[in-house]
Amino acid sequence: MKINRIDHVSINVNNLAEAKAFFLELGLEVHAEWELDGKQLDKIVGLNDVKTACVGMGMPGGQTWIELVKFCTHSDEKDLELPSANTLGIRHICFAVEDIDAVVAKLKKRGTEIFSEVQQYKETYKLCYVRGPEGIILELAEKLG
């Protein structure tokens, strides 16, 4: 048995258009958009009468996708929780970027919450955490040298 690669990371959102716009502005591109419903989806996700709208996004030529999913039926009606970087569970997605300072400046203009200013880790990386739409935490990493 062998794992070949990570295929995608799924992110549930209530505002699909806003999340899509955020990731487009960050530099990802739309690879596919679709809607799903029916008994097979119900069995896969363990709910009844599910309907979803999805956008698959990734880097040009990249294999791994981010799958933005809006549950049109059975949406989560709880208030959005804004976890911290140390909250247990899957917590963030890291993007390798070029010119992290320019990326952060662009996100600040957009009103994106920045956890801290860009920090340099040893002589290897410049790093920064930001919070995208609906509490999504992203780490931005620029490799130095």
Side-chain angles (χ1 to χ4, degrees):
M1 183 177 113
K2 162 181 147 179
I3 295 175
N4 293 321
R5 65 182 170 89
I6 294 175
D7 184 74
H8 71 274
V9 174
S10 180
I11 303 171
N12 293 344
V13 298
N14 280 322
N15 189 330
L16 188 57
E18 180 185 350
K20 177 182 167 183
F22 175 81
F23 285 105
L24 282 171
E25 191 172 329
L26 195 59
L28 276 66
E29 61 184 23
V30 174
H31 290 273
E33 296 188 59
W34 65 97
E35 293 183 356
L36 286 174
D37 62 4
K39 293 190 182 304
Q40 186 176 24
L41 178 62
D42 292 353
K43 288 179 183 179
I44 291 169
V45 300
L47 297 168
N48 293 316
D49 300 318
V50 174
K51 181 175 182 176
T52 62
C54 307
V55 178
M57 304 185 77
M59 299 307 299
Q63 292 182 337
T64 303
W65 284 22
I66 290 177
E67 198 171 83
L68 302 174
V69 178
K70 161 75 174 145
F71 277 80
C72 303
T73 57
H74 294 293
S75 62
D76 186 356
E77 299 299 327
K78 296 180 216 159
D79 286 335
L80 181 64
E81 297 177 22
L82 297 179
S84 299
N86 67 338
T87 302
L88 297 178
I90 296 174
R91 198 48 49 222
H92 74 272
I93 301 169
C94 183
F95 286 103
V97 301
E98 292 179 13
D99 195 356
I100 192 171
D101 296 306
V103 173
V104 169
K106 181 178 178 180
L107 291 172
K108 279 183 179 179
K109 269 188 179 178
R110 188 183 193 283
T112 301
E113 177 188 346
I114 310 297
F115 281 52
S116 66
E117 296 303 314
V118 174
Q119 301 293 311
Q120 185 165 327
Y121 176 73
K122 299 184 180 180
E123 298 298 318
T124 56
Y125 283 96
K126 290 171 78 175
L127 305 167
C128 185
Y129 275 59
V130 304
R131 189 183 311 276
E134 301 193 49
I136 300 166
I137 297 174
L138 301 180
E139 178 183 7
L140 306 175
E142 178 184 347
K143 189 167 184 159
L144 302 173

